[in-house]
Amino acid sequence: MSIQQVPAEILEIIFANLDGTSFCRAKQVCKLWCAVVHKLQNSKKIWRKFCIQDIPDGVIEELVSYKTIPYKNLNVDWLDIYKQWHFGKVIKPRHLSKVFEVQAFCSNPITCIATSGSWVVTGHNNGVAYVWSISDDDGIEQKSDLHLKAITDIALVDLLNLGTYYGLRTLPWSHHHMITVSKDGCIRISFLLDSIGRSEYDLTLHKHSDVINSVRIFGKQFAACSRDNTVTLWDLDVLRSPYLHLKATLLHIIIGPAEYIADIGFWNNKLYCITLSGKISICDLRKEDWIEKSNVKSICFKDIEKRPCITRYHTFRDEVVIMFTASAKMVVYLDENCYKIYHLMPTLQTLIVSIKLKGTILALGGENGKLYIFYVPVTESLLGLDLTQPAFHCMLSEASIVFVDVIYSCTYPMVVAATTEKLYFISWH
């Protein structure tokens, strides 16, 4: 029996058990196969299967705005999610589309950034946030009176699946609310854009008595950590009457470990932190107690440095920790048996001052004003980076790149980099 004689019903069963890449290539074989693929590719179920099957754990949660698998009740355009993951591979110089910059506010330095679809949110030193449209130079919206002091971190909320269901072809943004924290010790929950909702439904939460350093969100819960080692855990609900707005319910007030918390992570309802001494602790939310898991500092620097000076800690998906030292080392820590120390000066010739791991893209911002991009197909790829051969790098500024973020869409990836005064948008095709 030749290929042309295989019944379409049998081909459907065979194609449904392929991986996504092979499935897309099958339509190039002949007209019969092309017709079968076209019939199947309109099914949401098959793209959901390909996403869960092909996209690594950790990566897929980030692509669906930090939501929990298996997404039983999640309305998602799975084809768009698969495209976002697939097009994350095109980070190459020959695919570069454009690099353009936007002058921010010199008298009001940028203190943090976050991205939503084709919009970028910048927090500033005077407590104001600005929302910038990447596709429209005049699309700037000021969110005044959010805080009395500098905004320290931003988390974006998508409980309506705007980004994963509607997508950029329908909506230019992927979230409906943003959570900002500040040196004034309060948490503000406000609409991302004034056109989405009414400002009188914004929330101000006062449960911290000191500077709030960071906020992390996963699913419908978020955690905020303040300088006095207090962590608050909140649950969010969408209310639609009389207008769309959010309700925030305090779940726990947790006192952190005895040592100062350098950064916190929140993943799959698991709260973890790393302290300045390099210890990773996991919070048992039932007991509101911290359990020390490992000492990253002593494990990674054993027999290398007696007293390493860690300048910055960063936590990412599922307890991934990346540290930077004063001696120009970058340490990637996955667990006690999986870690890697990179020497920055012989390879990048600069210190790294900002970092973002999102999906399959690792972006590093250099003190020398350069941006370095690496393709990271799975989390374990962080242990095998060739710093001398980034997928993409370019000089953006004479000033340090102090913030970086990654935007995924169904057509191309984009990286946003920032100095304290300028924003840079780098896109590929």
Side-chain angles (χ1 to χ4, degrees), residues 306-324:
K306 290 184 178 179
R307 294 183 178 179
C309 177
I310 309 297
T311 56
R312 284 180 312 283
Y313 292 91
H314 301 272
T315 59
F316 295 101
R317 67 176 77 124
D318 204 15
E319 299 178 44
V320 173
V321 174
I322 299 180
M323 304 178 291
F324 295 95

Side-chain angles (χ1 to χ4, degrees), residues 254-275:
I254 306 165
I255 304 302
E259 301 174 35
Y260 182 76
I261 295 177
D263 199 11
I264 64 167
F266 189 40
W267 190 264
N268 273 328
N269 299 319
K270 180 171 60 177
L271 186 64
Y272 55 96
C273 75
I274 184 162
T275 64

Side-chain angles (χ1 to χ4, degrees), residues 125 147 149-152 181-186 210-212 227:
N125 195 53
H147 295 276
K149 296 182 179 180
I151 297 175
T152 54
V181 295
S182 167
K183 289 184 177 181
D184 63 11
C186 77
D210 206 341
V211 172
I212 304 178
R227 194 169 57 182

Side-chain angles (χ1 to χ4, degrees), residues 143-266:
K143 307 289 288 186
S144 301
D145 304 324
L146 287 182
H147 295 276
L148 299 176
K149 296 182 179 180
I151 297 175
T152 54
D153 203 2
I154 301 170
L156 301 178
V157 183
D158 177 25
L159 302 185
L160 302 177
N161 304 315
L162 297 182
T164 52
Y165 182 68
Y166 294 100
L168 289 182
R169 292 171 297 182
T170 306
L171 291 175
W173 55 84
S174 302
H175 304 82
H176 46 84
H177 279 77
M178 62 180 177
I179 304 170
T180 55
V181 295
S182 167
K183 289 184 177 181
D184 63 11
C186 77
I187 303 169
R188 286 292 302 267
I189 302 177
S190 55
F191 286 98
L192 181 65
L193 297 168
D194 290 340
S195 57
I196 300 177
R198 299 165 67 109
S199 59
E200 58 259 39
Y201 289 100
D202 292 352
L203 299 177
T204 303
L205 308 175
H206 297 280
K207 289 296 178 181
H208 291 266
S209 57
D210 206 341
V211 172
I212 304 178
N213 297 320
S214 54
V215 59
R216 300 287 183 268
I217 188 167
F218 197 95
K220 60 192 295 287
Q221 295 181 349
F222 74 91
C225 177
S226 57
R227 194 169 57 182
D228 61 2
N229 268 24
T230 300
V231 180
T232 55
L233 184 64
W234 303 80
D235 184 77
L236 295 173
D237 286 302
V238 176
L239 302 179
R240 301 174 186 270
S241 178
Y243 299 98
L244 173 70
H245 62 287
L246 292 183
K247 175 186 177 183
T249 304
L250 180 64
L251 300 178
H252 302 284
I253 299 179
I254 306 165
I255 304 302
E259 301 174 35
Y260 182 76
I261 295 177
D263 199 11
I264 64 167
F266 189 40

Side-chain angles (χ1 to χ4, degrees), residues 7-28:
E9 294 80 5
I10 301 299
L11 289 175
E12 288 183 15
I13 296 173
I14 295 172
F15 292 168
N17 286 280
L18 296 175
D19 61 85
T21 303
S22 301
F23 175 80
C24 294
R25 289 174 178 170
K27 64 182 179 182
Q28 301 174 5

